[in-house]
């Protein structure tokens, strides 16, 4: 009888040990998986934030990656950042410790998880929001170059001054598009109508609205500045009257202001390289406006 009780006791102890071991395995493996998912999500967000500084500022891109990672609970010391392909590819790799709860019973105190994230920056082929109702003809732009975004009196082609109709014609739609940007998608290959006439009144009203609330300068502006305009690049503006022009790309400009001459408005901007949310293609002609995408 004693032998049977002893055997039952031993079996019970072994069963409890097995159950505890299984519980430790399931619980702590779950912790590992959760930590890995959180680490991966943090890296994705950090890489997408950092790559928006490329290709022009690789040091800033690395700084932003580590800053965003820290905000998401990842120590900057645990992150390695690589920039490749002429500053168009950014990759981050990180490791983090996981302290076990139940596995300590088995003498296992902690483990590590790792994750990586890679994103590319490439020319934009489609923009979904915020396009201003002006266009520029395709050309090779240089950073800081002054560009006329809308012609004044006596310039332009046969009544076309660089203004276009996005989402409809008329001064009210045009004015709102100047202030807030067109709330719709535009892509390379689309045909858009030129807006005949100088559209001076709604142009100046829209510009005044922006200048009264945004005092940025070309040497000191934020990414959300109202003076940053996404402008379609078209094949030509040499058309008569209201005619269709073809979108061949997109560019970004910092708007310095408008000049009124004999009731006609001229808008001057400076070209910049910039990254926005939008569709991208590595084969698209590059007019300075880039988009970003995670690739792994």
């Amino acid at each position: 009888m004693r032998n049977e009780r002893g055997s039952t006791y031993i079996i019970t102890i072994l069963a409890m040990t097995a159950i505890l071991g299984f519980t430790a395995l399931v619980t702590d493996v779950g912790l590992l998986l959760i930590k890995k998912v959180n680490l991966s999500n943090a890296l994705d967000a950090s890489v997408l934030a950092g790559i928006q500084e490329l290709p022009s500022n690789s040091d800033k891109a690395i700084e932003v990656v580590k800053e965003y990672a820290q905000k998401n609970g990842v120590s900057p010391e645990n992150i390695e950042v690589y920039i490749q392909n002429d500053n168009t590819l950014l990759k981050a790799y990180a490791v983090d410790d996981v302290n076990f709860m139940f596995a300590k019973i088995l003498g296992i105190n902690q483990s590590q998880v790792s994750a990586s994230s890679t994103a590319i920056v490439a020319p934009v082929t489609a923009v979904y929001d915020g396009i201003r109702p002006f266009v520029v003809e395709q050309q090779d732009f240089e950073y800081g170059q002054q560009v006329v975004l809308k012609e004044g009196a006596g310039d332009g082609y046969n009544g076309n001054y660089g203004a276009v109709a996005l989402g409809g014609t008329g001064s009210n739609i045009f004015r709102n598009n100047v202030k807030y940007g067109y709330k719709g998608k535009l892509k390379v290959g689309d045909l858009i109508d030129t807006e005949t006439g100088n559209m001076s009144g709604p142009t100046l009203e829209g510009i005044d609205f922006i200048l009264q609330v945004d005092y940025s300068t070309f040497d000191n502006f934020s990414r959300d500045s109202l003076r940053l305009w996404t402008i379609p690049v078209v094949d030509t503006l040499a058309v008569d009257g209201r005619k269709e022009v073809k979108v061949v790309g997109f560019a970004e400009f910092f708007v310095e202001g408008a000049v009124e001459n004999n009731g006609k408005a001229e808008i001057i901007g400076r070209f910049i390289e910039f990254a926005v949310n939008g569709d991208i293609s590595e084969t698209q002609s590059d007019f300075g406006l880039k988009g970003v995408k995670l690739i792994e």
Side-chain angles (χ1 to χ4, degrees):
M1 181 68 71
R2 290 182 177 177
N3 289 337
E4 290 180 1
R5 290 180 177 176
S7 298
T8 302
Y9 178 76
I10 293 173
I11 292 172
T12 301
I13 294 299
L14 291 174
M16 290 180 63
T17 302
I19 292 172
L20 287 173
F22 182 74
T23 301
L25 178 64
V26 171
T27 302
D28 290 330
V29 167
L31 285 175
L32 282 172
L33 291 176
I34 292 172
K35 190 70 172 182
K36 185 174 182 65
V37 170
N38 290 341
L39 182 61
S40 180
N41 289 340
L43 278 187
D44 286 349
S46 301
V47 164
L48 285 175
I51 199 169
Q52 295 188 52
E53 302 297 334
L54 296 182
S56 59
N57 195 335
S58 57
D59 290 338
K60 181 65 174 179
I62 294 172
E63 178 185 329
V64 170
V65 169
K66 295 189 174 184
E67 177 185 331
Y68 269 72
Q70 188 170 31
K71 289 179 180 179
N72 284 279
V74 183
S75 172
E77 297 176 355
N78 294 338
I79 300 176
E80 296 178 4
V81 184
Y82 307 93
I83 296 176
Q84 301 170 335
N85 295 3
D86 295 326
N87 287 5
T88 63
L89 183 147
L90 186 151
K91 182 172 184 176
Y93 173 82
V95 297
D96 208 351
D97 295 327
V98 180
N99 295 316
F100 289 144
M101 297 174 61
F102 294 101
K104 294 178 179 179
I105 299 173
L106 304 177
I108 306 173
N109 294 319
Q110 66 174 205
S111 184
Q112 278 192 332
V113 293
S114 63
S116 64
S117 182
T118 305
I120 61 171
V121 57
V124 163
T125 59
V127 178
Y128 289 82
D129 186 32
I131 300 172
R132 306 294 171 165
F134 305 99
V135 296
V136 292
E137 289 183 299
Q138 58 184 337
Q139 57 189 281
D140 293 327
F141 299 106
E142 295 183 4
Y143 184 84
Q145 172 188 347
Q146 279 195 332
V147 178
V148 176
L149 304 181
K150 180 190 170 301
E151 301 285 357
D155 300 316
Y157 294 109
N158 300 319
N160 288 298
Y161 297 87
V164 290
L166 301 177
T169 60
S171 60
N172 288 333
I173 293 176
F174 187 85
R175 183 186 301 105
N176 284 334
N177 286 340
V178 175
K179 288 182 178 180
Y180 310 111
Y182 170 56
K183 305 301 182 182
K185 177 182 178 181
L186 199 63
K187 65 182 185 300
V188 170
D190 282 350
L191 299 176
I192 51 179
D193 289 328
T194 58
E195 188 72 83
T196 56
N198 200 270
M199 300 299 286
S200 180
T203 295
L204 292 173
E205 290 174 25
I207 288 291
D208 287 344
F209 168 81
I210 291 172
L211 299 185
Q212 287 175 9
V213 297
D214 191 327
Y215 300 99
S216 304
T217 66
F218 180 71
D219 296 319
N220 184 21
F221 60 84
S222 62
R223 289 189 56 83
D224 60 354
S225 170
L226 295 177
R227 290 175 177 246
L228 293 181
W229 282 12
T230 299
I231 301 290
V233 179
V234 297
D235 54 350
T236 182
L237 269 174
V239 295
D240 296 324
R242 189 184 301 281
K243 291 291 177 63
E244 291 181 335
V245 291
K246 184 178 181 180
V247 178
V248 296
F250 298 91
E252 193 80 5
F253 298 90
F254 177 87
V255 176
E256 294 195 313
V259 177
E260 184 179 6
N261 183 16
N262 295 324
K264 308 299 182 181
E266 179 180 275
I267 300 177
I268 303 296
R270 286 186 180 271
F271 173 75
I272 63 172
E273 290 188 321
F274 201 70
V276 297
N277 293 323
D279 299 339
I280 65 174
S281 171
E282 294 180 80
T283 61
Q284 163 65 26
S285 297
D286 188 357
F287 295 103
L289 189 65
K290 307 289 201 305
V292 301
K293 181 175 71 173
L294 291 173
I295 59 174
E296 59 177 72

